[in-house]
Amino acid sequence: MKRKDFENELRKLQVKLVRLQTWVKATGARVIVVFEGRDTAGKGGVISRITQRVSPRVFRHIALPAPTEREKSQLYIQRYIAHFPAAGEIVLFDRSWYNRAGVERVMGFCTDDEYERFMRLVPPFEQEIVDNGIILLKYFLDVSQDEQRRRFADRIEDPVKHWKLSPMDTESVRRWWDYTLAYQEMLHGTDTPQAPWTIVPSDDKRRARLNLIAHMLGTIPYEKVKVDLPKVPKAEPRPKGADDGLPARHVVPARY
């Protein structure tokens, strides 16, 4: 897909995202969207397009770092629940409690007992979320092995993408099949009628972003809310003796 075509379609979807935002604020709806997937699959990219034209007070992007020592002593799910939405909020989890079934499972950061307990408790936990009136959507972005290798190579070559690289991430290349088996088991055990998974093929990033956003908008039962837009008033006349400029001693240099 050409960039111009992508941006034209994205613009249309972003207008609808603003309408969704207005509906969420007006109705007090609560929405959780979980973004999981393979490394380099484009979770951050689609979230940035979703949040580009909306309010961060409504659309909250949550990307938690590794747990602190204090958090390790808490209930596993506790630090995620702390970020759940209040009325009029949409929370976008850039990775979520499913870390336990993915990274932690493959890299040995949890025990077999902890993993099995997680898999046993997730379906009733998500049932409780839905029963509480929260709209819960779960997306898994999938990318092919060759495309993942290409994207990692691109990150190595591009200085502005170096922050996306870590030994933990690149290890996913070597452990491709370990992650494949872990994700297959995760999806099989947690794809339930009340909280189903939706797979997003993402070798084509632009199409994947548009398809995911369109699906999200089509799944959330929002309606267009009439907005009373303010009119721009006339400025008051300039007071006698008032200057246009501001009396700052330092002004940023005009280098461009």
Side-chain angles (χ1 to χ4, degrees):
M1 176 177 282
K2 295 181 180 179
R3 178 177 292 277
K4 184 176 180 181
D5 294 335
F6 167 72
E7 291 178 348
N8 286 339
E9 292 303 315
L10 179 63
R11 170 71 180 182
K12 297 174 187 176
L13 292 173
Q14 288 178 333
V15 170
K16 294 180 180 179
L17 286 168
V18 173
R19 291 174 181 167
L20 169 63
Q21 172 179 266
T22 304
W23 175 81
V24 166
K25 290 172 63 179
T27 61
R30 295 169 294 161
V31 182
I32 293 175
V33 188
V34 168
F35 295 85
E36 289 289 341
R38 294 186 182 273
D39 289 313
T40 77
K43 296 178 292 296
V46 70
I47 291 173
S48 70
R49 270 58 178 193
I50 291 171
T51 59
Q52 190 174 15
R53 303 295 182 185
V54 292
S55 170
R57 297 184 183 88
V58 178
F59 283 79
R60 296 198 292 112
H61 178 191
I62 306 298
L64 298 183
T68 63
E69 289 302 316
R70 181 176 182 276
E71 288 172 332
K72 289 178 182 178
S73 70
Q74 298 174 342
L75 289 173
Y76 173 72
I77 207 73
Q78 189 171 337
R79 73 188 192 121
Y80 295 101
I81 293 176
H83 297 278
F84 274 25
E89 293 181 346
I90 300 173
V91 172
L92 311 175
F93 277 106
D94 187 350
R95 293 205 182 278
S96 65
W97 47 93
Y98 283 100
N99 264 353
R100 175 131 295 177
V103 174
E104 292 191 13
R105 171 70 165 165
V106 172
M107 301 303 293
F109 295 155
C110 67
T111 66
D112 289 343
D113 286 345
E114 288 172 332
Y115 167 77
E116 290 168 5
R117 177 176 174 79
F118 171 81
M119 292 295 288
R120 189 169 61 251
L121 293 179
V122 162
F125 168 69
E126 293 180 344
Q127 178 72 65
E128 182 62 26
I129 292 174
V130 174
D131 288 347
N132 196 256
I134 297 175
I135 297 171
L136 174 62
L137 305 179
K138 302 189 302 188
Y139 291 104
F140 188 93
L141 283 77
D142 196 21
V143 66
S144 66
Q145 192 171 17
D146 288 342
E147 180 62 14
Q148 185 186 66
R149 293 181 66 87
R150 189 197 68 77
R151 290 179 185 179
F152 270 125
D154 180 59
R155 290 180 180 184
I156 292 171
E157 294 296 323
D158 190 343
V160 302
K161 296 181 179 179
H162 286 176
W163 66 273
K164 295 184 176 183
L165 291 166
S166 74
M168 189 71 66
D169 294 334
T170 52
E171 183 69 5
S172 63
V173 175
R174 187 172 72 85
R175 299 202 177 200
W176 173 269
W177 289 109
D178 291 336
Y179 273 102
T180 298
L181 294 173
Y183 288 140
Q184 288 173 347
E185 187 173 347
M186 179 190 84
L187 294 170
H188 178 73
T190 61
D191 185 22
T192 61
Q194 68 273 12
W197 280 102
T198 300
I199 307 298
V200 185
S202 62
D203 274 14
D204 186 324
K205 279 188 177 182
R206 291 173 182 168
R207 295 185 189 277
R209 289 165 181 170
L210 297 176
N211 288 331
L212 191 156
I213 296 170
H215 183 275
M216 186 181 79
L217 288 164
T219 304
I220 299 173
Y222 77 98
E223 298 176 355
K224 186 176 180 181
V225 177
K226 184 178 179 180
V227 179
D228 293 326
L229 298 175
K231 295 181 179 179
V232 179
K234 292 183 178 180
E236 295 179 347
R238 181 194 303 200
K240 187 176 181 180
D243 294 325
D244 277 336
L246 299 174
R249 293 172 54 195
H250 303 283
V251 177
V252 66
R255 297 180 179 178
Y256 301 96

